[in-house]
């Protein structure tokens, strides 16, 4: 796996009320401080990488260098447990929702990490207009400004947080919002079946932790 160093910083999480295609669960916008650097996967975890750790491949669309999908939040945590055991560490985990959005935005405040224009999305993402409703090899579109690929489209990506339907009360220090108040878990980034507005940096989605859906995958965070 390849990782990109994400430096500490601050950003405004969520979307303003005037943003095109916005949903109410993307607000209110709140300021978040990421105080510690971390490494985030340059690409979504692939089927080859999943198979090496888990010995199987649950993906609907098959291919070594396609992102693994059809994996539940619970499955991902089993993968992380086994990977940490294999490498004798405890540094691998899912990013928090705040860490994910901070890295996906890469210092931008626009709808996407490249700007506001839907017509440019195809340069950065596999989505409903260009994917043929299939996942595609990781890393074949343009990266965001911090060198992360497929943060828009291809597969949704699990994060650690429980689902809350607004950001009222959300942490402002970048940690996962994991307070035991909810059942569903968050995934981010949009997928190959979804229209442009569902691939925005602020867009949020949820599913049960045991749910298997195509296309939901993930990328890993490695702590310093």
């Amino acid at each position: 796996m390849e990782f990109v160093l994400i430096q500490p910083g601050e950003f405004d999480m969520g979307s303003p009320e005037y943003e095109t295609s916005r949903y109410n669960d993307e607000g209110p916008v709140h300021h978040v401080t990421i105080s510690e650097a971390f490494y985030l996967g340059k690409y979504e975890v692939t089927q080859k990488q999943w198979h090496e750790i888990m010995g199987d491949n649950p993906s609907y669309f098959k291919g070594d260098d396609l992102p693994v999908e059809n994996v539940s939040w619970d499955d991902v945590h089993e993968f992380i447990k086994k990977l940490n055991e294999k490498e004798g560490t405890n540094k691998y985990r899912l990013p928090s929702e705040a860490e994910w959005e901070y890295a996906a935005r890469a210092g931008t405040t626009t709808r996407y990490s490249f700007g506001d224009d839907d017509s440019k999305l195809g340069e950065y993402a596999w989505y409903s207009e260009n994917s043929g409703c299939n996942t595609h090899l990781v890393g074949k579109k343009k990266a965001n400004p911090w060198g992360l690929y497929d943060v828009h489209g291809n597969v949704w990506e699990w994060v650690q947080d429980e689902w809350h339907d607004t950001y009222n009360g959300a942490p402002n220090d970048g940690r996962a919002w994991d307070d035991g108040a909810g059942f569903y878990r968050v995934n981010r980034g949009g997928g190959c079946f979804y229209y442009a507005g569902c691939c925005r940096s602020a867009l949020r989605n949820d599913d049960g932790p045991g749910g298997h859906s195509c296309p939901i995958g993930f990328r890993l965070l490695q702590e310093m």
Side-chain angles (χ1 to χ4, degrees):
M1 294 182 188
E2 297 182 56
F3 290 86
V4 173
L5 177 62
I6 307 298
Q7 297 285 2
E10 301 177 13
F11 79 113
D12 289 329
M13 184 172 179
S15 63
E17 292 184 3
Y18 57 80
E19 183 166 304
T20 303
S21 304
R22 180 187 190 269
Y23 292 90
N24 288 336
D25 58 38
E26 298 167 21
V29 173
H30 56 292
H31 196 70
V32 174
T33 299
I34 305 292
S35 59
E36 296 184 5
F38 58 89
Y39 293 100
L40 192 62
K42 186 175 184 178
Y43 310 109
E44 295 159 336
V45 173
T46 67
Q47 294 173 31
K48 182 178 181 180
Q49 291 162 345
W50 179 274
H51 184 270
E52 183 174 340
I53 299 300
M54 301 295 284
D56 64 6
N57 182 5
S59 303
Y60 182 80
F61 301 106
K62 302 294 187 184
D64 280 354
D65 294 322
L66 295 177
V68 69
E69 29 82 8
N70 200 32
V71 290
S72 71
W73 187 88
D74 290 336
D75 294 337
V76 171
H77 277 267
E78 185 64 22
F79 173 93
I80 290 170
K81 176 184 175 183
K82 290 184 177 182
L83 177 60
N84 278 322
E85 288 173 350
K86 180 176 182 178
E87 297 203 358
T89 185
N90 61 356
K91 291 186 176 182
Y92 297 110
R93 61 175 174 85
L94 281 176
S96 70
E97 187 173 13
E99 289 167 334
W100 189 97
E101 186 171 323
Y102 174 68
R105 286 188 176 279
T108 66
T109 59
T110 46
R111 296 173 71 224
Y112 308 101
S113 64
F114 55 84
D116 290 317
D117 189 353
D118 287 350
S119 69
K120 296 182 180 179
L121 182 60
E123 299 176 29
Y124 295 84
W126 298 107
Y127 71 115
S128 61
E129 294 296 314
N130 66 358
S131 70
C133 288
N134 298 301
T135 60
H136 289 261
L137 301 179
V138 300
K140 296 303 181 182
K141 293 293 187 178
K142 290 182 180 179
N144 80 353
W146 289 354
L148 300 171
Y149 291 83
D150 300 306
V151 292
H152 309 297
N154 214 8
V155 297
W156 293 90
E157 300 178 16
W158 287 114
V159 295
Q160 180 63 30
D161 301 48
E162 294 172 359
W163 172 261
H164 299 77
D165 59 9
T166 77
Y167 284 134
N168 289 317
N172 61 7
D173 59 0
R175 73 183 188 274
W177 198 1
D178 204 1
D179 56 7
F183 171 76
Y184 291 95
R185 296 285 174 168
V186 179
N187 48 77
R188 300 294 301 263
C192 60
F193 300 163
Y194 293 82
Y195 80 103
C198 284
C199 298
R200 293 174 298 107
S201 297
L203 195 282
R204 312 171 67 222
N205 193 30
D206 66 294
D207 205 343
H212 295 81
S213 297
C214 174
I216 304 181
F218 67 108
R219 77 178 69 219
L220 278 184
L221 182 148
Q222 183 182 15
E223 296 178 344
M224 299 287 289

